[in-house]
Amino acid sequence: MASPCKSSISLFLSLSLLLVSCAMEEADILLTFKDSINDPFNLLSNWSNTTAECDWTGITCTASSISSINLISLNLSGEISPSICQLPKLAHLNLANNIFNQPIPLHLSQCASLESLNLSNNLIWGTIPEQISQFRSLKLMDLSRNHIQGTIPKGIESLKELQVLNLGSNLLSGDVPPVALGKLTQLILVDLSQNPLMVSEIPGDIGKLKKLQKLFLQSSGFHGEIPPHVFEGLKSLVILDLSHNNITGTLPEFVFSSLPNLVSFDVSQNKLSGPFPNGICEAAKGLVNLGLHTNLFNGSIPNDSIKQCMNLERFQVQDNLFSGNFPSWLWSLSQMKIIRAENNRFSGEIPDSISQAAQLEQVQIDNNSFTSKIPQGLGLIRSLYRFSASLNGLYGELPPNLCDSPVMSIINLSHNDLSGTVPELKNCKKIVSFSLAHNNFIGEIPKSLGALPVLTYLDLSHNNLTGQIPQELQNLKLALFNVSFNRLSGRVPASLISGLPASFLQGNPDLCGPGLSNSCSEGKTSPKGINLSKLESVLISVTFVVVILIIAVGFHMTRQSRKQRSEMDGWRSVLFYPLRVTENDLMMEMSDKNARGNGGIFGRVYTVNLPNGELIAVKKLMNFGTQSSKSMKAEIKTLAKIRHKNITKILGFCHSNDAIFLIYEYLARGSLGDLIGKSDFQLPWSVRLRIAIGVAQGLAYLHKDYLPHLLHRNLKSTNILLDADHEPKITDFALDRIVGEAAFNSSLASDAASSCYLAPEYGYTKRASEQTDTYSFGVILLELITGRQAEKAEFGEGSLDVLKWVRRKINITNGALQVLDSKISSASQREMLGALEIALRCTTVVPEKRPSMFQVVRILHSLDSRSKLTTIY
Ligand SMILES: *[C@@H]1O[C@H](CO)[C@@H](O)[C@H](O)[C@H]1NC(C)=O
Ligand SMILES: *[C@@H]1O[C@H](CO)[C@@H](O)[C@H](O)[C@H]1NC(C)=O
Ligand SMILES: *[C@@H]1O[C@H](CO)[C@@H](O)[C@H](O)[C@H]1NC(C)=O
Ligand SMILES: *[C@@H]1O[C@H](CO)[C@@H](O)[C@H](O)[C@H]1NC(C)=O
Ligand SMILES: *[C@@H]1O[C@H](CO)[C@@H](O)[C@H](O)[C@H]1NC(C)=O
Ligand SMILES: *[C@@H]1O[C@H](CO)[C@@H](O)[C@H](O)[C@H]1NC(C)=O
Ligand SMILES: *[C@@H]1O[C@H](CO)[C@@H](O)[C@H](O)[C@H]1NC(C)=O
Ligand SMILES: *[C@@H]1O[C@H](CO)[C@@H](O)[C@H](O)[C@H]1NC(C)=O
Ligand SMILES: *[C@@H]1O[C@H](CO)[C@@H](O)[C@H](O)[C@H]1NC(C)=O
Ligand SMILES: *[C@@H]1O[C@H](CO)[C@@H](O)[C@H](O)[C@H]1NC(C)=O
């Protein structure tokens, strides 16, 4: 390869001609470099000899010599050719965020002027060879986010000029050499984080790096104790992250007084123990105690001792074994934003001077041994949005200004010894989650809680609250409302009783309402009803019903086939809801003429009109396998306790040895699948989006909120029922738990209508997961977006399921617009395209890439321009 300014240049040429000639050659060098690179999107198209190379994409020149090549995020692959080392002034090479797939290009060490090499986020593999020492002139080496293996070689100590060393997010293993990094005295940033295979002690010589500002060692298998004097030399350190390792022992003495510039301190999720070291910011502590703290900022007090810690913004020590007094000076630092110390054994008090921490945003000290009143000062901080201090020994009354911060969203004070009344919280316009459970609060639930616009989680359980549940709470869109185990009385507001699990009301014997043991009927004594906590008593109260049922079933069955005769033996019935029903009619109604749809797997669904005009839906499950009837009953009871506005309620069931009739609430509009199947299907986008959000919420609830966590396993549009307001309710969930795995799988396999909702991996793993449910949800979302049924035979195209159809369309230009249901006005196009993107993410082939249902809920909410609801997820 020719070198620049080759000798063919005539002696007679002027200096300017000489420069031009050099520049020409630099262009050739770049074109040679380009030749070995794959550029699939032709993004380097303007690298061509018709223009000056200093104007080419990614090229920067200094004094008309190329000094920097910056080709980030261009999907480049191929070979990083050493030819560019012929560029005499090349100082910066940044090829980050591409797909170069090769070992570390050692030959670049021949680039005489190279100062920074950034190969972050490629597919670089192999080990770091000792020859890495050849990069003597490098100041910046970023090899993060690749697949580099092996240990860090001692040869790295030769890179004396190095200021930035980033080896984070690789597959490095073994030990960091104990003496090596300490020799790189120019280092400003060291990142060895996210190398999960590493097993190393923290190299003690890091303490020599006087210029080091950022040290990232999180999530990299560091173990052992923090070397005792390591922090003493790190005078410039601003960010320290040792979180998520296996570090043991105590924190070194003087940790903070050694680190005067520290802004972020994170040692969370380790095994650090013992009391917090003294001798840190002692001066600040003294001043706090003297009440002089407000003067800290005006410089009238000696500098050094005070300046320590004053820059601290984040203090994270959660999930360790720390004990002893929590350093009280930390509470009042003027720059502090985040204090997280949960899951330790700290004791101590929260001082009123916390109000000095005027930037404080987040305090989490749950699960410690703090014994303290909650100071008034807390309510003076205007930026605080989260205060959670559950599982401590906090006592006394709540200050009335507790929630005066205009951004306060989460308060969790459960499991303490707090007393007095529940404050009015009138200023609390942003509160989403409020828990005072397991304390000693007395008095009534304030009506004003009903006026908090975004309150979603309210837990007042296990207190000593009296009076009625205020009607005003019905205004809230509560996802959790737990007042169990108080002394509340009176009629429960209707929407609170129907929308939420009965267990959230239990332990208040004087509450009444439908479904509770006390049904509120005035005058005459009501029949003893059904209480979820005493399910067995139900059996007694419905014995007479069962007798009738047996007769009715027998009668009904004899009119059908003899084969089913055994069904009528030993019928038993369990109701979770006071159905006013003569079961005779119930069974008689279960004839073919009332069957709806094909009933999905296992059996059919019947609509049964009860004599009082009430309608119920009854699902017949047949052929369930080896599941014992005891465990089967237990499973149904578990499922029946679910109360969520997007999940169909199970009102009860009756069963024999061969069949189960599950009784569900009836929903007026039938299933979403049937609706979409109609030729005149037409719903505005806002309604479709609301349906999608409802289904996602119901599913997220099953996955994460309900205990035990459940999988749906057969989600499809015919299992989404709609009420009169088009509010969706998921049905047929978790049937595997009732019939057993084997029977469930064989039924699923025989149900062709389910097949296009099944995630591809289910075909070979037969393992259901949250991700397989997410996939099914994605298919339903596509049905809503396109207005097409999931599986639809189409003339000429044969049967093409909605996902394949969408994938084919969107590959062509403007295809995404073509899949949107043309019956919807283009005003909704932006939202629909957003939903399409989510649907495609939910249905990606790689299960790990699918979002969780909580993420889906959040994104769908954000699409809904009408929704003002903030969620805490
Ligand atoms: C540019 O490169 C092409 C192909 O390498 C060559 O044929 C052409 O002569 C070059 N043009 C100039 C101005 O150097
Ligand atoms: C080459 O493309 C880059 C980025 O699009 C642009 O900034 C530059 O001006 C282009 N150069 C020429 C010579 O067209
Ligand atoms: C790189 O490729 C990916 C996937 O092929 C694509 O999503 C992305 O837009 C491409 N980037 C550029 C800059 O073209
Ligand atoms: C490397 O390049 C990427 C992409 O531009 C950038 O995010 C990263 O900060 C760079 N690394 C360093 C150490 O500057
Ligand atoms: C801590 O060590 C244990 C056992 O040595 C290991 O299983 C675990 O993965 C380590 N944790 C971290 C965060 O490295
Ligand atoms: C700082 O505070 C002290 C004590 O209140 C006061 O005497 C002094 O004037 C203040 N200095 C400044 C510069 O505000
Ligand atoms: C306090 O710090 C300031 C600026 O950092 C400096 O100018 C001043 O001399 C220091 N005073 C003392 C007493 O150290
Ligand atoms: C409380 O913290 C301890 C460690 O100090 C931990 O073992 C325990 O699981 C935590 N309890 C809860 C409820 O998180
Ligand atoms: C409040 O804290 C308790 C105990 O740590 C925890 O179980 C509960 O989930 C928390 N509640 C909310 C709404 O975060
Ligand atoms: C509830 O309050 C009543 C009367 O104020 C008191 O007698 C009772 O002990 C309290 N119960 C609990 C569990 O604190």
Side-chain angles (χ1 to χ4, degrees):
M1 180 55 44
S3 67
C5 304
K6 221 179 146 191
S7 54
S8 65
I9 296 160
S10 155
L11 282 170
F12 304 108
L13 285 175
S14 70
L15 180 63
S16 66
L17 267 179
L18 174 71
L19 284 176
V20 167
S21 171
C22 280
M24 293 299 290
E25 293 229 19
E26 291 208 327
D28 289 341
I29 293 163
L30 284 181
L31 290 175
T32 313
F33 177 70
K34 182 188 168 184
D35 279 347
S36 65
I37 287 179
N38 289 333
D39 175 15
F41 298 96
N42 207 14
L43 298 168
L44 301 184
S45 60
N46 73 15
W47 284 35
S48 104
N49 59 3
T50 55
T51 53
E53 73 278 9
C54 292
D55 294 334
W56 294 356
T57 298
I59 303 299
T60 311
C61 295
T62 311
S64 53
S65 209
I66 294 170
S67 59
S68 164
I69 301 178
N70 189 345
L71 300 177
I72 58 170
S73 310
L74 299 176
N75 281 330
L76 303 180
S77 59
E79 211 187 310
I80 304 171
S81 150
S83 58
I84 46 168
C85 285
Q86 294 163 14
L87 298 170
K89 297 281 168 54
L90 181 66
H92 307 285
L93 178 61
N94 191 342
L95 301 176
N97 307 342
N98 285 296
I99 41 184
F100 287 105
N101 184 342
Q102 61 168 75
I104 297 173
L106 273 180
H107 49 70
L108 294 182
S109 63
Q110 297 157 20
C111 300
S113 311
L114 197 62
E115 287 176 15
S116 79
L117 174 62
N118 189 339
L119 297 175
S120 172
N121 195 22
N122 275 284
L123 302 169
I124 307 288
W125 48 270
T127 59
I128 307 178
E130 285 287 345
Q131 292 89 319
I132 196 84
S133 59
Q134 293 165 3
F135 281 105
R136 281 175 210 281
S137 62
L138 271 194
K139 293 185 174 154
L140 181 151
M141 175 151 67
D142 189 345
L143 301 176
S144 61
R145 303 172 68 196
N146 280 295
H147 302 265
I148 297 169
Q149 293 174 305
T151 57
I152 299 174
K154 193 154 185 328
I156 204 145
E157 68 183 27
S158 305
L159 309 180
K160 295 276 193 269
E161 304 292 318
L162 212 55
Q163 297 173 358
V164 173
L165 174 63
N166 191 344
L167 301 174
S169 300
N170 274 295
L171 303 169
L172 293 171
S173 54
D175 252 317
V176 180
V179 181
L181 293 180
K183 299 192 175 160
L184 309 181
T185 52
Q186 303 303 311
L187 279 173
I188 295 171
L189 181 150
V190 171
D191 188 341
L192 306 179
S193 66
Q194 311 283 349
N195 279 287
L197 305 178
M198 209 135 92
V199 188
S200 179
E201 301 211 0
I202 297 174
D205 72 332
I206 283 186
K208 296 184 183 143
L209 303 175
K210 289 198 176 53
K211 295 187 179 169
L212 195 66
Q213 294 175 7
K214 299 178 184 176
L215 181 57
F216 298 104
L217 301 182
Q218 70 272 21
S219 308
S220 279
F222 283 100
H223 62 89
E225 302 199 358
I226 298 177
H229 302 293
V230 71
F231 294 136
E232 286 167 29
L234 297 176
K235 295 291 179 211
S236 309
L237 202 63
V238 176
I239 301 177
L240 174 66
D241 194 343
L242 303 178
S243 63
H244 215 275
N245 281 300
N246 263 331
I247 303 170
T248 50
T250 57
L251 282 186
E253 197 96 4
F254 307 119
V255 52
F256 290 105
S257 49
S258 314
L259 305 172
N261 297 304
L262 201 63
V263 169
S264 174
F265 178 76
D266 191 347
V267 297
S268 61
Q269 304 200 45
N270 277 292
K271 295 180 180 135
L272 289 160
S273 59
F276 224 69
N278 257 331
I280 34 178
C281 304
E282 279 304 293
K285 176 181 172 188
L287 292 165
V288 169
N289 291 345
L290 284 169
L292 291 174
H293 194 79
T294 40
N295 296 330
L296 280 178
F297 318 111
N298 79 1
S300 69
I301 295 163
N303 277 351
D304 273 5
S305 47
I306 302 151
K307 265 170 47 188
Q308 298 164 3
C309 316
M310 291 310 293
N311 297 316
L312 212 50
E313 290 178 14
R314 306 171 72 101
F315 179 81
Q316 297 188 228
V317 299
Q318 73 269 21
D319 299 302
N320 277 291
L321 305 164
F322 288 119
S323 54
N325 253 319
F326 189 76
S328 60
W329 49 267
L330 268 167
W331 290 115
S332 5
L333 296 176
S334 62
Q335 301 299 316
M336 188 63 91
K337 291 195 167 77
I338 296 178
I339 294 179
R340 292 192 58 180
E342 69 267 24
N343 301 325
N344 281 290
R345 291 174 213 137
F346 284 119
S347 53
E349 283 194 38
I350 307 167
D352 199 43
S353 60
I354 191 173
S355 60
Q356 306 293 339
Q359 313 287 321
L360 201 58
E361 293 170 0
Q362 188 178 343
V363 173
Q364 287 173 255
I365 54 168
D366 311 75
N367 190 18
N368 279 287
S369 305
F370 285 93
T371 44
S372 175
K373 289 193 172 191
I374 295 181
Q376 289 267 354
L378 190 73
L380 301 176
I381 305 168
R382 308 296 291 168
S383 49
L384 195 64
Y385 74 84
R386 173 169 196 166
F387 183 76
S388 74
S390 65
L391 292 161
N392 277 291
L394 304 180
Y395 62 92
E397 300 195 3
L398 293 182
N401 70 350
L402 176 68
C403 199
D404 276 5
S405 160
V407 293
M408 183 60 92
S409 306
I410 301 172
I411 295 180
N412 192 345
L413 296 171
S414 64
H415 296 270
N416 279 294
D417 291 320
L418 296 162
S419 55
T421 56
V422 178
E424 292 272 345
L425 303 181
K426 287 210 162 104
N427 294 331
C428 226
K429 297 295 182 225
K430 288 278 169 65
I431 192 98
V432 175
S433 172
F434 186 52
S435 175
L436 299 179
H438 289 268
N439 279 287
N440 302 315
F441 287 102
I442 56 168
E444 301 201 357
I445 301 175
K447 292 187 175 56
S448 56
L449 292 184
L452 301 178
V454 293
L455 186 60
T456 310
Y457 294 80
L458 178 61
D459 192 347
L460 303 173
S461 63
H462 293 269
N463 278 291
N464 207 346
L465 299 173
T466 49
Q468 301 210 354
I469 298 175
Q471 293 289 331
E472 286 80 357
L473 294 185
Q474 295 188 98
N475 302 338
L476 299 172
K477 292 203 173 62
L478 290 168
L480 181 149
F481 172 68
N482 193 344
V483 291
S484 60
F485 298 98
N486 278 287
R487 293 188 296 136
L488 297 166
S489 55
R491 185 185 285 273
V492 180
S495 80
L496 293 177
I497 213 164
S498 63
L500 296 159
S503 60
F504 287 174
L505 299 170
Q506 70 185 328
N508 293 284
D510 296 335
L511 281 182
C512 68
L516 300 177
S517 50
N518 191 345
S519 72
C520 289
S521 44
E522 286 154 56
K524 65 179 173 150
T525 51
S526 58
K528 184 141 183 71
I530 291 102
N531 183 327
L532 272 181
S533 62
K534 299 179 200 156
L535 266 173
E536 300 314 319
S537 71
V538 171
L539 287 173
I540 302 164
S541 70
V542 296
T543 306
F544 79 101
V545 168
V546 173
V547 172
I548 297 169
L549 235 144
I550 294 169
I551 298 165
V553 169
F555 179 60
H556 180 64
M557 293 301 165
T558 46
R559 296 196 320 168
Q560 299 202 344
S561 72
R562 291 194 79 83
K563 186 167 131 265
Q564 290 180 339
R565 201 180 170 84
S566 62
E567 273 187 29
M568 69 185 195
D569 297 332
W571 277 95
R572 277 169 301 274
S573 160
V574 179
L575 298 176
F576 307 124
Y577 204 81
L579 290 173
R580 294 186 209 297
V581 50
T582 69
E583 269 63 21
N584 189 2
D585 292 340
L586 188 152
M587 302 315 287
M588 294 296 283
E589 290 275 327
M590 284 167 59
S591 61
D592 290 350
K593 78 175 160 61
N594 293 328
R596 292 214 321 224
N598 63 10
I601 58 170
F602 307 117
R604 321 186 71 162
V605 178
Y606 303 86
T607 305
V608 175
N609 198 342
L610 299 179
N612 65 352
E614 225 179 318
L615 287 162
I616 55 175
V618 181
K619 182 178 182 69
K620 185 160 120 188
L621 299 182
M622 298 284 295
N623 305 326
F624 47 95
T626 52
Q627 191 93 321
S628 81
S629 99
K630 190 161 159 244
S631 69
M632 183 203 77
K633 272 191 287 187
E635 292 292 355
I636 300 181
K637 285 175 191 172
T638 303
L639 300 185
K641 283 187 194 169
I642 300 175
R643 294 287 164 85
H644 185 281
K645 74 175 166 44
N646 299 117
I647 295 175
T648 318
K649 267 190 289 234
I650 297 180
L651 307 179
F653 66 100
C654 41
H655 64 100
S656 71
N657 290 332
D658 300 316
I660 309 168
F661 291 99
L662 277 177
I663 306 171
Y664 289 102
E665 63 181 316
Y666 172 82
L667 289 155
R669 290 192 188 267
S671 84
L672 176 65
D674 293 344
L675 203 61
I676 294 178
K678 289 190 183 138
S679 54
D680 58 348
F681 170 63
Q682 203 148 19
L683 278 182
W685 173 247
S686 59
V687 176
R688 296 189 199 193
L689 182 55
R690 224 162 13 89
I691 292 174
I693 291 174
V695 175
Q697 280 170 340
L699 205 51
Y701 179 82
L702 291 179
H703 284 176
K704 288 287 196 292
D705 281 345
Y706 190 70
L707 284 176
H709 296 329
L710 298 174
L711 298 175
H712 188 296
R713 303 199 57 178
N714 189 25
L715 190 67
K716 50 184 174 177
S717 56
T718 51
N719 280 337
I720 312 291
L721 304 181
L722 300 173
D723 77 3
D725 297 329
H726 288 105
E727 186 71 36
K729 286 177 191 264
I730 298 173
T731 188
D732 268 13
F733 44 89
L735 293 183
D736 58 307
R737 297 178 71 102
I738 302 177
V739 301
E741 183 68 24
F744 181 84
N745 263 328
S746 73
S747 300
L748 198 57
S750 66
D751 181 22
S754 295
S755 67
C756 71
Y757 293 93
L758 285 182
E761 73 272 15
Y762 192 82
Y764 51 88
T765 62
K766 289 278 174 280
R767 282 232 332 270
S769 63
E770 285 177 17
Q771 289 91 14
T772 53
D773 276 355
T774 303
Y775 182 95
S776 312
F777 173 81
V779 176
I780 294 173
L781 188 53
L782 286 178
E783 292 183 76
L784 287 166
I785 294 165
T786 59
R788 282 173 68 102
Q789 280 177 291
E791 193 94 50
K792 180 177 168 192
E794 207 164 273
F795 188 74
E797 286 184 40
S799 166
L800 193 57
D801 71 54
V802 67
L803 179 58
K804 290 204 189 83
W805 182 76
V806 167
R807 282 191 182 140
R808 279 187 198 182
K809 290 272 183 192
I810 61 175
N811 274 338
I812 54 181
T813 324
N814 282 335
L817 291 177
Q818 287 179 26
V819 304
L820 309 183
D821 191 343
S822 56
K823 296 197 279 296
I824 292 180
S825 100
S826 58
S828 305
Q829 210 173 69
R830 203 185 50 82
E831 286 179 29
M832 292 176 81
L833 287 174
L836 179 62
E837 193 186 322
I838 303 169
L840 292 172
R841 280 178 60 196
C842 290
T843 49
T844 50
V845 179
V846 184
E848 297 76 37
K849 294 231 166 124
R850 293 175 205 149
S852 76
M853 287 315 297
F854 271 117
Q855 288 169 324
V856 172
V857 170
R858 196 187 54 211
I859 308 171
L860 287 175
H861 265 306
S862 72
L863 287 182
D864 186 355
S865 44
R866 278 158 292 274
S867 157
K868 299 281 182 297
L869 182 76
T870 52
T871 77
I872 61 167
Y873 301 109

